[in-house]
Amino acid sequence: MKNNFIKLITLLTVAVIYTSCSTTEEVDIDTTAPQVLIESPSVNQTYVGYWGGAWPEADKVIIKALGVDDTKIESIKLTVLNESRTIVFEKTVNSVTNTQTELVIYASYTPTEIGTYSLVFTAIDLNGNIENSVSRNFTVK
C-alpha cells in the first residue's frame, strides 16, 4: 500500500511539473482581416439593359475582385442586390490550398431588369477574420 501511495505522489508531482511548464515561444494569432480589392465594375458604371434589334440581350456586367490576406485566405464571396435589396446573384470561390494568400473572384452577370444594383464582396481568412467591401453600385438603363 505504501508503494502505491509513493507511486501516486510521484505521478501527481510529474503531472503538476509537466502542466506548469512554461514556454518562451510566442504564438502569433492572426486577427487581421483580409483586404478586398475591387477591379470591376467601376464606381457607378452604366450598362445598357436592352439594345433591341440584332442585340436583344443586355450588356454583361463583368465583376472581378481580389481577396488578399497576410497569412491564409479561405474564400471570397460576391453578392449582387437589386434596388429592392433582393439578392439576384451570388458566387463563392474557395481556396484550393491552405497556403493561398490571394484569391480572385470573377463573374459575368447579365441583369434581367433596368435599375440600380449594388454588389458586395466578402473575404474570409482561415482564422475566421471577415472583411466586407464597400458596396459598389452600377446602373442598368
Side-chain angles (χ1 to χ4, degrees):
M1 177 106 115
K2 189 175 181 182
N3 282 343
N4 286 341
F5 181 72
I6 292 172
K7 286 180 185 178
L8 179 62
I9 294 298
T10 304
L11 182 62
L12 288 173
T13 304
V14 170
V16 168
I17 290 170
Y18 177 77
T19 58
S20 66
C21 288
S22 64
T23 178
T24 57
E25 219 179 284
E26 288 186 25
V27 177
D28 291 333
I29 299 173
D30 178 18
T31 58
T32 305
Q35 294 181 329
V36 177
L37 309 166
I38 302 173
E39 294 185 20
S40 67
S42 299
V43 176
N44 296 320
Q45 189 166 348
T46 301
Y47 297 90
V48 175
Y50 177 73
W51 286 88
W55 296 279
E57 190 174 305
D59 285 345
K60 292 187 184 312
V61 179
I62 303 301
I63 303 169
K64 186 176 180 183
L66 177 66
V68 180
D69 190 62
D70 57 345
T71 56
K72 300 170 188 168
I73 193 157
E74 181 177 302
S75 65
I76 187 166
K77 179 181 179 182
L78 159 67
T79 305
V80 179
L81 303 132
N82 65 14
E83 290 180 78
S84 302
R85 307 302 294 163
T86 302
I87 297 172
V88 293
F89 183 77
E90 285 184 300
K91 180 176 181 178
T92 300
V93 174
N94 294 308
S95 173
V96 292
T97 70
N98 66 354
T99 59
Q100 280 184 267
T101 57
E102 295 184 1
L103 198 54
V104 174
I105 188 165
Y106 174 88
S108 175
Y109 170 67
T110 304
T112 58
E113 298 177 2
I114 292 174
T116 300
Y117 294 80
S118 62
L119 54 89
V120 175
F121 296 93
T122 303
I124 303 172
D125 70 15
L126 284 177
N127 289 315
N129 299 310
I130 300 172
E131 179 67 24
N132 290 309
S133 71
V134 173
S135 180
R136 173 78 51 104
N137 293 337
F138 63 91
T139 304
V140 179
K141 292 185 176 188

